[in-house]
Amino acid sequence: TQLLEQSPQFLSIQEGENLTVYCNSSSVFSSLQWYRQEPGEGPVLLVTVVTGGEVKKLKRLTFQFGDARKDSSLHITAAQPGDTGLYLCFSGNTPLVFGKGTRLSVIA
Amino acid sequence: DAGVIQSPRHEVTEMGQEVTLRCKPISGHNSLFWYRQTMMRGLELLIYFNNNVPIDDSGMPEDRFSAKMPNASFSTLKIQPSEPRDSAVYFCASIGYSGTYGKQFFGPGTRLTVL
């Protein structure tokens, strides 16, 4: 059983659509991080969420940390082909683990 | 800053051979992580160091795997002997802190193929 369950595993959408991906756990976290990984490269940090109920925005990306600090979501508005990649969540406390990710493909 | 540097970028070897992967973290970063990524298992933490000292190696799959960090600017991950199931992309990441929470800076990875 994965400590961090990400869903969906794969997502293919048209440019301009909105989408939400999820990172869920039965454990409580002091913080969660979201990374994006493009093919052939290492993951790059997008955001760190630390407070239950916190919402952070990064241009068209909106990140939310659940009130109980057990889950998080990433919403992308008006997706663009440049958003294509593997989106990973990472635990902020031990055990230090990544979810298996959501592989997003945005088609022009 | 050059970022995290890994070498080689690609390695193809035969089963039973020794493989050494190298990592140079970002200068000033005190923590270094080694990960392995496969489609089946995702990104798995193998071992991490703080100030050159191994803190948690519970992710190292077998005794065939070993990692060292002789100084703050260099780390190696060695597999001996290698097996086909070790084929994966191996990433090194160093940690920079802005306030309380760390940010992992990943290298470009080493793609290992064991035939």
Side-chain angles (χ1 to χ4, degrees):
Chain A
T1 303
Q2 287 276 319
L3 180 64
L4 291 173
E5 296 282 350
Q6 290 193 246
S7 60
Q9 208 174 339
F10 299 95
L11 188 56
S12 181
I13 62 170
Q14 295 289 324
E15 181 177 3
E17 292 184 2
N18 301 332
L19 67 114
T20 302
V21 299
Y22 301 92
C23 176
N24 295 311
S25 177
S26 57
S27 300
V28 176
F29 296 100
S30 59
S31 65
L32 270 176
Q33 294 183 325
W34 285 92
Y35 287 76
R36 179 171 65 208
Q37 183 179 19
E38 298 187 16
E41 300 181 8
V44 175
L45 179 66
L46 296 174
V47 78
T48 302
V49 286
V50 301
T51 305
E54 179 178 10
V55 176
K56 281 191 172 178
K57 292 195 174 186
L58 186 66
K59 297 183 181 178
R60 294 175 294 99
L61 278 60
T62 301
F63 303 85
Q64 186 159 9
F65 201 11
D67 290 342
R69 304 204 318 275
K70 293 182 178 182
D71 53 81
S72 182
S73 63
L74 159 58
H75 181 81
I76 301 179
T77 303
Q80 299 178 0
D83 296 326
T84 293
L86 179 66
Y87 288 82
L88 297 157
C89 61
F90 178 75
S91 64
N93 45 259
T94 54
L96 300 173
V97 294
F98 276 92
K100 293 184 77 172
T102 293
R103 195 168 296 276
L104 172 65
S105 177
V106 182
I107 302 164
Chain B
D1 199 324
V4 176
I5 298 172
Q6 290 188 248
S7 64
R9 290 295 309 274
H10 302 273
E11 177 82 29
V12 180
T13 191
E14 293 190 344
M15 182 174 63
Q17 296 297 306
E18 176 181 303
V19 174
T20 299
L21 311 181
R22 297 172 176 79
C23 175
K24 177 178 169 54
I26 292 173
S27 177
H29 286 187
N30 295 330
S31 298
L32 183 142
F33 288 20
W34 280 101
Y35 290 93
R36 176 173 68 176
Q37 187 174 38
T38 62
M39 285 295 291
M40 287 296 293
R41 301 175 67 89
L43 198 58
E44 302 174 279
L45 178 63
L46 300 177
I47 185 171
Y48 75 93
F49 296 85
N50 270 352
N51 296 315
N52 313 337
V53 176
I55 302 302
D56 184 357
D57 65 353
S58 59
M60 296 285 263
E62 298 172 31
D63 291 345
R64 299 184 296 108
F65 285 68
S66 62
K68 294 182 180 179
M69 193 165 185
N71 57 62
S73 59
F74 184 66
S75 179
T76 59
L77 178 67
K78 184 181 291 187
I79 308 173
Q80 180 185 19
S82 58
E83 296 183 3
R85 60 188 166 133
D86 302 330
S87 296
V89 181
Y90 290 80
F91 288 100
C92 170
S94 66
I95 313 298
Y97 284 87
S98 174
T100 304
Y101 299 96
K103 174 179 179 178
Q104 296 184 70
F105 292 80
F106 282 79
T110 295
R111 181 173 295 276
L112 173 65
T113 303
V114 184
L115 303 174

